[in-house]
């Protein structure tokens, strides 16, 4: 990634250093959206931790190397369409780590433009939301279970009330 600034020669190192310390993963690519796709120009340390790839393995590759059988093709089509239209993109899909396991990826992609408004690069901020997805699924399961238990408790209370009414009638008759 060329961030050279003749007025400030240390700017490139400062920007890379800042990105490397970012908690979220950062990736910069060329602007091609059609096959073979964009080329990775820069990844920060968080990106290499998330994917298991080293920066040297990723530079020059396409982000498509992270996709696999569970990657949502409809979401990728939406991604291509939004970027081709010059829009930012926010989405989620499944990607794969270098050693094979899938992870749920959430990403925001923004085009970088030159002075004429032409897209020159894309910057993506990404995070692994697998744990968040699992927690949401677990919460939904617990919520469904609690609702079912509430329904069962309400039915048991109605039955108990009926039984009390019947016992009260029986006692009055005796």
């Amino acid at each position: 990634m060329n961030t050279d600034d003749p007025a400030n020669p240390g700017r490139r190192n400062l920007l890379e250093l800042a990105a490397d310390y970012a908690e979220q993963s950062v990736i910069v690519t060329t602007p091609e959206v059609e096959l073979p796709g964009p080329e990775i120009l820069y990844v920060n340390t968080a990106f290499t931790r998330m994917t298991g790839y080293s920066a040297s393995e990723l530079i020059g590759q396409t982000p498509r190397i992270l996709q696999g059988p569970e990657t949502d093709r409809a979401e990728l089509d939406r991604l291509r369409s939004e970027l081709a239209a010059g829009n930012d993109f926010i989405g989620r899909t499944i990607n794969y780590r270098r050693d094979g396991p899938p992870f749920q990826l959430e990403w925001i992609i923004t085009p970088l433009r030159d002075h004429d408004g032409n897209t020159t690069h894309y910057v993506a901020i990404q995070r692994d939301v697998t744990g968040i997805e699992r927690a949401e699924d677990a919460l939904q399961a617990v919520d469904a279970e609690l609702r079912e238990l509430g329904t069962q408790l309400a039915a048991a209370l109605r039955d108990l009330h009926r039984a009390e009414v019947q016992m009260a009638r029986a006692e009055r008759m005796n």
Side-chain angles (χ1 to χ4, degrees):
M1 177 173 78
N2 186 0
T3 55
D4 293 336
D5 181 352
N8 188 350
R11 182 170 182 235
R12 176 187 175 151
N13 292 338
L14 180 62
L15 291 175
E16 287 183 7
L17 181 65
D20 278 342
Y21 278 96
E23 188 175 318
Q24 305 300 329
S25 71
V26 177
I27 178 174
V28 178
T29 69
T30 59
E32 295 81 21
V33 293
E34 299 303 324
L35 290 172
E39 179 182 330
I40 298 171
L41 301 175
Y42 172 81
V43 295
N44 71 347
T45 313
F47 190 90
T48 61
R49 277 194 312 269
M50 181 175 68
T51 64
Y53 285 93
S54 69
S56 63
E57 290 175 300
L58 291 166
I59 303 301
Q61 297 291 327
T62 174
R64 288 183 170 95
I65 66 169
L66 301 170
Q67 298 169 7
E70 292 181 57
T71 302
D72 185 345
R73 299 297 163 201
E75 188 72 346
L76 295 177
D77 290 343
R78 188 174 75 82
L79 163 68
R80 251 186 314 284
S81 175
E82 289 295 320
L83 294 182
N87 300 326
D88 291 353
F89 174 81
I90 300 173
R92 282 188 177 184
T93 194
I94 301 287
N95 268 358
Y96 291 82
R97 299 185 204 296
R98 185 178 192 279
D99 58 353
F103 65 98
Q104 182 77 28
L105 173 73
E106 178 179 74
W107 74 121
I108 301 169
I109 302 174
T110 302
L112 296 180
R113 294 185 174 90
D114 63 16
H115 297 297
D116 297 324
N118 299 313
T119 300
T120 61
H121 299 86
Y122 289 109
V123 174
I125 308 298
Q126 304 178 349
R127 67 183 181 141
D128 180 348
V129 293
T130 306
I132 294 169
E133 288 287 318
R134 286 185 186 142
E136 287 172 356
D137 291 347
L139 265 171
Q140 288 175 355
V142 167
D143 182 59
E145 185 177 347
L146 286 173
R147 288 177 191 273
E148 177 60 28
L149 288 172
T151 301
Q152 291 173 5
L153 178 60
L157 288 172
R158 282 191 302 273
D159 291 346
L160 180 60
H161 179 70
R162 280 190 214 117
E164 287 174 344
V165 168
Q166 287 176 351
M167 281 183 70
R169 281 187 197 146
E171 285 178 4
R172 278 187 299 227
M173 291 179 91
N174 284 338

